[in-house]
């Protein structure tokens, strides 16, 4: 276990054989009273439901928006079997990828995003709730209930949404209270496979004619899709869900000028956490593991995991408050948006010995055995702690919607304080027993001024333009690096293992009494600092006993504890009871800061070819925040990295038309991205074995060494037919290519073998998570009967193969050096043989939904099924020395949902 675990870690053509679509059912308009209407209107299938969105910061018809976006109402999410599972949204949105790595939501749009989910990282696709920016998307899925709609906007939104909207945005819009003096609401219950039990409710409570409150809440319990395939059956697998959330909203609108909205929300997430499955041991068959099984991922059940050591746990709470006050002065409106969010996240990763493969020996291996079986008494694992307090303030002026010049201008300010901890333990480790990064004081700040406008040159032609200037700064104070412990035996034999993290162990994280290591120089200083790293030792930990006598000087070389060595040989204690040599190392002082400013702009046009046809073109830019690296050797590791930047050209057409007497749409857009100052993670040595000089610890370093080009074509259509049938189609062709980027290959780390890594030129590779072809088709029907309406829908989503990492299964070059740094051996293995296959095969996923709604709309019964073919899809991979961890999609889920509205 080492420090890199912390970071995770041709031409443009498309044959269109049919009209292509959004896969979007109608988004419900605000202000509808309970009971809610079905997602597809049944009274007039000849009309096309209007989908209203706020992707350009003002409410508008999605079909009139000059860009590529999709919107889904809560009914759409239910009918498409997406429900309250945020990851499932990607099945309905081409180009969207969402993974959950250890509780952090990672969003990529058209291959652009960010996988750096530490305090040093920022999202590359910006999440929002009711238009308010969310900087730390942990627990974001707990917001996915009682929604007005979810908006997915593709392409950089630098002038409109600002911070970190490089790839685009996801905006979760909650249901607002409904005015009019009526009490209404609903209660909903669902049950399904994997012991799924869910309950949701909403109450709309009038406070006179002009004000109302709305309470909404839900709870969900669901068993894991993983299986404990090992012998330690008392361990529950990762992925068990236990969630509760609530939301209270207030709306006051005494007239058509003043609007006051406020919302308080709370969520708790328990269960067993979200670590992935390590397939390295199953895939490797080369020099790194001679005689290894060499299975491909497609031959394995990736959900059969052999769990060892500690029980994985998750304990996360979040709450927030946001407010919006707007006053219409006639020709302009003044609006204030503000929010505060608090995140308190803790996770103990479920430790494992990888996955089960055919013929694998999973018998219990005693510590002194040399081969075969599994050491279930290994408590090597990772502890996470993330606390975040953030606030966003925005003051905005904008024109009346009827003005010839539609403009908006404003000020934006964001602040975040974080306290974070990461502790990676290597139980029974020799010379290296863990990695700690604990930061009690992390600050981020961003301020911006912006303006955007659309001017009507004529009745048909409009010109668009916008600018935004941003200043950002970050700082961090704490500690980070490796714990080094070397304990010599009799005759200076190496080395006694140290046990750390067994049953009952609790890390200290920010409860440490001191984070200043600048004056610590002696073993006594180091021993005291290490002991302060945990609040409670595990029941079978040895570290406290090993360090006995060091601090008070009675045993300068510590206390030797007789016990078998993990490697198979029994080591003897020296006669004096102290270790023959005694080496301690502690994390380094970490202090980083950065300050950057950047300028975003957009320019474009809209032209109404007819009342039903829009032609548009726009050039826009976006940035993702820069930052700083961990503080080690400044000659090897740059102190800061610049913001990433992107400039995009999109040209498109949106069309509504009558087809066989029914209203339908066809939209198409071509796009080109120039992605520069791209951050790739490089490798640097942060710890060495003092006996041999060999590297024993590495850290990933952010460097602006990349440049990529992306282009593609996206087409969408929604068609209505007779007898209540409808067909939604959506297709995306996407070509991505890394043009520049040479980094150290983290797959080739050689611990204890010189510590050398090879360089790899990524030029010509595809960006991770970018499929060349994606195609969605949703067939739906609503049948009106004398006892109510029946509806059904089938969503089939095809996605061609894609790579999970930047390496694209390039060969791995392993280098071994001697103590002087000279190359001793140099071998090449293909990625699969070395244990690093990283290509996800193409697949088709199928979701279905069917329901009945009573004549008065008060009762709704639904049956749903997602991922019906039970495809195991890797949505992210984390690779490194001996590590190829896959983070998977949700397995097949099906169930029944009943909803009563009043």
């Amino acid at each position: 276990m080492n420090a890199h675990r912390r970071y995770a870690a041709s031409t443009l053509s498309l044959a269109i054989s049919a009209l292509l679509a959004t896969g979007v059912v109608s988004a419900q308009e605000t202000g509808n009273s309970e009971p809610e209407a079905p997602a597809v209107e049944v009274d007039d299938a000849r009309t096309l439901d209007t989908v209203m969105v706020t992707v350009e910061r003002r409410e508008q018809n999605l079909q009139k928006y000059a860009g590529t976006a999709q919107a889904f109402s809560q009914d759409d999410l239910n009918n498409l079997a997406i429900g309250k599972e945020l990851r499932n949204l990607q099945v309905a949105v081409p180009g969207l990828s969402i993974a959950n790595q250890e509780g952090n939501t990672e969003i990529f749009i058209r291959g652009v995003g960010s996988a750096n989910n530490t305090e040093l990282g920022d999202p590359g696709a910006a999440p929002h709730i009711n238009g308010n920016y969310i900087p730390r998307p942990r627990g974001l899925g707990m917001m996915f209930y009682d929604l007005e709609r979810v908006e997915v906007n593709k392409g950089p939104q630098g002038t409109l949404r600002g911070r970190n909207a490089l790839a685009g945005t996801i905006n979760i819009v909650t249901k607002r209270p409904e005015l009019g003096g009526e009490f209404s609401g609903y209660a909903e219950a669902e049950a399904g496979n994997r012991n799924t039990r869910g309950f949701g409710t909403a109450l709309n409570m009038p406070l006179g004619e002009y004000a109302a409150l709305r309470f909404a809440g839900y709870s969900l319990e669901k068993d894991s899709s993983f299986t404990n395939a090992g012998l330690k059956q008392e361990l529950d697998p990762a992925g068990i869900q236990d969630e509760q959330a609530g939301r209270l909203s207030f709306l006051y609108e005494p007239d058509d000028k003043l609007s006051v909205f406020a919302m308080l929300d709370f969520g708790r997430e328990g269960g067993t956490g979200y670590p992935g499955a390590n397939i390295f041991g199953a895939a490797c068959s080369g020099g790194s593991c001679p005689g290894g099984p060499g299975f491909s991922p497609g031959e394995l059940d990736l959900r059969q995991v052999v769990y060892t050591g500690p029980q994985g746990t998750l304990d996360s709470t979040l709450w927030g408050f946001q407010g919006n006050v707007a006053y219409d002065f006639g020709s302009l409106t003044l609006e204030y948006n503000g929010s505060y969010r608090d995140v308190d996240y803790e996770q103990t990763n479920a430790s494992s010995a990888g996955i089960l493969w055919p013929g694998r020996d999973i018998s219990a291996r005693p510590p002194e055995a040399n081969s075969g079986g599994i050491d279930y008494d290994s408590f090597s694992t990772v502890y996470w702690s993330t606390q975040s307090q953030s606030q966003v303030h925005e003051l905005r002026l904008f024109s009346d919607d009827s003005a010839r010049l539609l403009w908006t201008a404003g000020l934006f300010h964001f602040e975040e304080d974080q306290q974070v901890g990461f502790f990676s333990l290597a139980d029974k480790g020799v010379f290296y027993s863990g990695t700690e990064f604990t930061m009690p004081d992390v600050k981020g700040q961003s301020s911006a001024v912006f303006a955007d406008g659309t001017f009507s040159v004529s009745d048909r032609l409009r010109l668009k333009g916008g600018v935004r200037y941003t200043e950002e700064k970050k700082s961090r104070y704490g500690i980070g690096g490796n714990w080094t412990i070397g304990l010599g035996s009799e005759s200076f034999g190496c080395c006694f293992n140290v046990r750390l993290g067994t049953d009952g162990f609790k890390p200290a994280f920010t409860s440490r009494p001191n984070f200043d290591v600048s004056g610590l120089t002696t073993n006594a200083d180091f021993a005291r600092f290490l002991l302060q790293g945990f609040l409670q030792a595990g029941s079978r930990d040895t570290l406290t006993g090993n360090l006995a006598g060091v601090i008070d000087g009675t045993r300068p070389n510590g206390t030797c504890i007789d016990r078998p060595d993990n490697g198979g040989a029994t080591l003897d204690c020296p006669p004096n009871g102290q270790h023959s040599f005694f080496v301690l190392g502690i994390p380094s002082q970490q202090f980083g800061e950065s300050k950057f400013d950047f300028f975003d702009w957009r320019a474009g046009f809209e032209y109404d070819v007819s009342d039903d046809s829009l032609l548009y073109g726009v050039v826009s830019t976006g940035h993702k925040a820069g930052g700083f690296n961990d503080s080690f050797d400044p000659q090897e590791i740059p102190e800061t990295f610049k913001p990433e930047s992107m400039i995009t050209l999109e040209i498109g057409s949106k069309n509504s038309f009558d087809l066989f007497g029914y209203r339908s749409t066809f939209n198409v857009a071509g796009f080109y991205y120039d992605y520069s100052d791209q951050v790739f993670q490089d490798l640097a040595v942060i710890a060495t074995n003092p006996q041999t000089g060999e590297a024993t610890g590495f850290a990933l370093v952010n460097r602006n060494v990349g440049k990529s080009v992306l282009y593609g074509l996206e087409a969408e259509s929604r068609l209505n037919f007779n007898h209540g049938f409808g067909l939604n189609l959506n297709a995306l062709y996407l070509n991505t290519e890394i043009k520049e980027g040479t980094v150290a290959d983290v797959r080739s780390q050689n611990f204890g073998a010189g510590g050398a890594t090879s360089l790899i030129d990524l030029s010509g590779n595809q960006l991770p998570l970018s499929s060349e072809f994606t195609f969605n088709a949703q067939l739906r029907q609503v049948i009106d009967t004398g006892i109510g309406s029946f509806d059904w829908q089938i969503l089939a989503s095809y996605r061609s193969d894609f790579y999970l990492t930047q390496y694209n299964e390039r060969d791995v070059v392993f280098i071994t050096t001697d103590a002087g740094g000279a190359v001793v051996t140099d071998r090449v293995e293909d990625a699969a043989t070395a244990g690093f296959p990283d290509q996800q095969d193409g697949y088709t996923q199928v979701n279905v939904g069917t329901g009945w709604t009573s004549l008065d709309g008060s009762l709704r019964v639904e049956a749903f099924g997602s991922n019906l073919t039970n495809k195991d899809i890797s949505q992210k991979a984390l690779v490194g020395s001996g590590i190829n961890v896959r983070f998977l999609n949700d397995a097949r889920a099906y169930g029944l949902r009943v909803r009563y509205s009043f």
Side-chain angles (χ1 to χ4, degrees), residues 159-160 327 336 352 362 381 399 495 525 528 549 572 663 754 772 790:
T159 61
L160 293 169
Y327 190 84
Y336 167 77
S352 78
I362 61 168
T381 192
S399 65
C495 297
D525 293 335
R528 182 182 296 106
D572 296 323
R663 202 65 174 160
E772 187 174 15
F790 292 89

Side-chain angles (χ1 to χ4, degrees), residues 133-417:
Y133 173 66
I134 304 296
R136 209 56 47 192
R138 290 192 182 274
L140 192 62
M142 286 191 289
M143 298 292 175
F144 228 53
Y145 68 98
D146 195 49
L147 303 182
E148 183 69 36
R149 64 184 176 274
V150 179
E151 302 171 349
V152 181
N153 202 8
K154 301 177 182 180
Q157 309 296 313
T159 61
L160 293 169
R161 293 293 185 186
R163 191 169 196 267
N164 296 327
L166 183 75
T169 61
I170 290 182
N171 185 25
I172 300 172
V173 183
T174 65
K175 279 277 191 182
R176 286 196 168 199
E178 297 163 358
L179 304 179
E182 293 186 3
F183 182 85
S184 60
Y186 65 83
E188 177 181 274
E190 70 176 74
N193 66 322
R194 307 212 308 265
N195 288 320
T196 298
R197 300 173 299 280
F199 177 79
T201 188
L203 296 174
N204 195 81
M205 297 165 281
L207 302 175
E209 185 178 354
Y210 305 114
L213 289 172
R214 185 181 185 90
F215 169 78
Y218 92 98
S219 66
L220 177 68
E221 295 181 13
K222 188 176 184 179
D223 285 351
S224 175
S225 61
F226 289 92
T227 300
N228 184 348
L231 299 183
K232 200 172 181 179
Q233 284 294 301
E234 65 270 24
L235 295 177
D236 291 325
I240 295 176
Q241 294 176 252
D242 181 9
E243 303 173 5
Q244 300 86 37
R247 182 186 297 142
L248 182 65
S249 304
F250 169 77
L251 180 63
Y252 174 61
E253 291 183 350
D255 50 39
D256 58 359
K257 294 183 177 295
L258 176 64
S259 176
V260 179
F261 171 76
M263 187 180 82
L264 178 68
D265 64 89
F266 172 84
R268 180 194 172 276
E269 193 173 16
T272 54
Y274 299 100
N278 190 2
I279 71 167
F280 177 82
C284 183
S285 62
S288 301
C289 49
F295 288 103
S296 68
E299 299 174 298
L300 299 164
D301 183 347
L302 303 185
R303 301 184 190 273
Q304 296 282 328
V305 180
V306 180
Y307 291 101
T308 65
Q311 173 63 62
T313 61
L314 170 62
D315 185 6
S316 177
T317 59
L318 58 86
W319 67 274
F321 175 81
Q322 61 180 250
N324 173 279
V325 180
Y327 190 84
D328 185 355
F329 290 93
S331 60
L332 61 85
T333 299
L334 176 64
E335 179 186 65
Y336 167 77
N337 280 294
S339 68
Y340 174 85
R341 298 216 64 79
D342 185 282
V343 176
D344 188 348
Y345 174 92
E346 291 188 3
Q347 177 169 303
T348 302
N349 278 11
S351 180
S352 78
I355 66 171
L356 185 68
W357 62 81
R360 184 179 187 187
D361 179 8
I362 61 168
S363 61
R365 174 175 69 90
E368 64 272 11
N370 287 313
S371 62
I374 293 169
D375 184 3
Y376 290 95
D377 188 38
S378 173
F379 281 73
S380 300
T381 192
V382 174
Y383 293 82
W384 295 90
S385 176
T386 299
Q387 296 175 327
S388 166
Q389 307 86 42
S390 63
Q391 52 183 301
V392 175
H393 304 276
E394 184 181 62
L395 189 65
R396 193 163 68 101
L397 279 169
F398 55 94
S399 65
D400 181 78
D401 288 346
S402 62
R404 185 176 183 183
L405 174 62
L406 299 176
W407 60 269
T408 182
L411 302 172
F412 171 90
H413 182 73
F414 157 80
E415 289 187 8
E416 182 184 23
D417 291 328

